[in-house]
Amino acid sequence: MLYQTITITLLLSIGIFPSPEIKESTTTEIISIDPISTIYEGLQGNSDELPSKEVFMMAAQGWSKMKDKLKTKVLTVIDFSLPSTAKRMWIIDPVSGVILLNSVVSHGRNSGDLMANNFSNIPESFKSSLGFYKTAETYSGKHGYSLRLDGLEKGFNDQARNRAIVIHGADYAREEFAESVGRLGRSLGCPALPSELSAKAIDLIKDGSLLFIFGKDENYINKSSLIKA
């Protein structure tokens, strides 16, 4: 009974479904529970590793603030503080606490080699951009089935559509490529996925979900209002 009450109150606190009648005394017993930490601790799925708690907490803070403006509650987390050989992208259903997909993902060619260290919002920089994005419409282009992204953070990624920063598949983003050269190939700034997984990933997150790209950049960490509690 207590477990059921904790689950209900957790879901209420992040606004997943309308409030049922819950006795005040029961709610008071668990008022100190951190819903975002609880979601993280309960993550499960076919994933070799979880995102770091620090990065997940940032992503979940933004998701919590933006969720009412989203068409779907799925949250995608990309951690560019990890090497490109790592499975550093997670597609997560925060409602059920399930990791839907975990994959390698490429960064921009001018952001770095194995590690992404430099980020930009400037057109033709060929660098990755940090921050929160809202997924938009799909289309068929140079790289086949692709997904447009709209950057939500001015100065950090709001030029994404102008820069044609999209999610697409690429053979250079496959693990076999990394095994042969020691790193993934690099894009012109797009988060490129293995060609065999890109369509599945796009269909999971298209049309109005939230995507968060993290990197070790003090300017972004200090100035972004979405990652702070």
Side-chain angles (χ1 to χ4, degrees), residues 14 19 32 34 43 80 103-104 113 136 166 172 175 185 189 191 204 210:
I14 56 178
S19 175
S32 63
D34 179 351
L43 284 180
F80 278 156
S103 174
V104 295
D113 292 328
V166 304
Y172 63 72
E175 290 183 74
L204 284 171
L210 195 67

Side-chain angles (χ1 to χ4, degrees), residues 64-204:
S64 180
K65 294 174 182 178
M66 298 293 299
K67 65 182 184 296
D68 292 337
K69 300 178 181 179
L70 305 173
K71 292 183 178 180
T72 174
K73 303 302 184 187
V74 172
L75 171 64
T76 302
V77 180
I78 295 176
D79 184 357
F80 278 156
S81 69
L82 299 174
S84 65
T85 50
K87 290 185 177 182
R88 55 185 181 170
M89 186 191 82
W90 296 264
I91 299 175
I92 301 167
D93 180 350
V95 177
S96 60
V98 174
I99 295 174
L100 304 173
L101 189 146
N102 180 211
S103 174
V104 295
V105 57
S106 290
H107 55 254
R109 66 169 62 165
N110 288 339
S111 283
D113 292 328
L114 176 64
M115 305 294 298
N117 298 310
N118 298 290
F119 307 97
S120 177
N121 191 39
I122 299 173
E124 307 303 320
S125 66
F126 301 149
K127 294 181 181 181
S128 297
S129 300
L130 302 180
F132 288 90
Y133 299 76
K134 189 174 182 179
T135 65
E137 74 276 11
T138 61
Y139 70 99
S140 183
K142 176 182 177 181
H143 297 285
Y145 189 48
S146 304
L147 175 64
R148 298 193 192 278
L149 301 172
D150 290 313
L152 301 177
E153 299 197 73
K154 187 174 181 179
F156 291 107
N157 61 21
D158 59 318
Q159 292 298 310
R161 188 171 282 260
N162 292 337
R163 295 179 62 202
I165 301 301
V166 304
I167 291 180
H168 63 76
D171 287 340
Y172 63 72
R174 302 175 73 238
E175 290 183 74
E176 290 82 359
F177 186 100
E179 290 171 0
S180 65
V181 302
R183 60 164 172 80
L184 289 188
R186 296 161 299 163
S187 68
L188 299 183
C190 299
L193 299 175
S195 49
E196 66 270 22
L197 290 178
S198 59
K200 178 180 179 180
I202 288 170
D203 283 340
L204 284 171

Side-chain angles (χ1 to χ4, degrees), residues 14-25:
I14 56 178
I16 292 176
F17 56 76
S19 175
E21 293 182 2
I22 300 177
K23 292 182 180 179
E24 182 178 353
S25 60

Side-chain angles (χ1 to χ4, degrees), residues 48-68:
D48 294 336
E49 293 185 8
L50 298 178
S52 74
K53 188 170 184 177
E54 177 186 15
V55 171
F56 177 81
M57 294 289 276
M58 292 181 188
Q61 289 291 355
W63 177 82
S64 180
K65 294 174 182 178
M66 298 293 299
K67 65 182 184 296
D68 292 337

